[in-house]
Amino acid sequence: QVQVVESGGGLVQTGGSLRLSCIASGLTFANYPMGWFRQAPGNEREGVACINWNGVPLYYSASVKGRFSISRDNARKTLYLQMNNLKHEDTSVYYCAAIVSCGASWQSSPKLTPWGQGTQVTVSS
């Protein structure tokens, strides 16, 4: 059964940091690019960051560039998102997914894993 499980969210003050994790199972994790996405109430899900199969981060959304860092540990089948200098507008449910491509249109790349339950990040202003 292919699935992902996100964790690490919580309540943090503006300027604080969090590290999200995503554990994937049921697929050969090391073969696929991975992405972090987020969805705030009333908004569509948006891509946050994308990393290639070999651990090279390829894309960050403009709103998080310079503050967030995506990484992966293929041996542990785990994806990470280090979030620093958090802002109120980062408040969202964060999701991860294996995707077909981490190219220029990665945010609309077909997903290879079903959406997990996500992990809530709340940044108090």
Side-chain angles (χ1 to χ4, degrees), residues 17-125:
S17 297
L18 283 173
R19 188 193 196 202
L20 306 185
S21 298
C22 161
I23 297 178
S25 59
L27 77 166
T28 305
F29 179 80
N31 285 359
Y32 302 105
M34 295 291 296
W36 280 104
F37 302 80
R38 66 185 181 184
Q39 186 169 20
N43 292 354
E44 293 188 357
R45 195 162 356 218
E46 63 170 347
V48 174
C50 179
I51 188 167
N52 211 350
W53 65 272
N54 58 2
V56 176
L58 291 181
Y59 287 99
Y60 291 96
S61 68
S63 60
V64 308
K65 198 169 186 178
R67 301 187 296 120
F68 290 12
S69 177
I70 187 171
S71 62
R72 65 190 295 164
D73 184 334
N74 285 343
R76 290 184 166 84
K77 297 186 176 182
T78 304
L79 176 74
Y80 301 101
L81 185 68
Q82 178 66 44
M83 306 187 297
N84 298 326
N85 191 21
L86 282 160
K87 303 177 180 180
H88 178 67
E89 50 265 39
D90 294 318
T91 296
S92 284
V93 179
Y94 284 72
Y95 303 88
C96 66
I99 57 178
V100 171
S101 172
C102 201
S105 302
W106 72 272
Q107 297 195 31
S108 58
S109 177
K111 310 301 181 291
L112 301 172
T113 52
W115 293 114
Q117 84 287 351
T119 186
Q120 175 72 49
V121 172
T122 303
V123 185
S124 62
S125 55

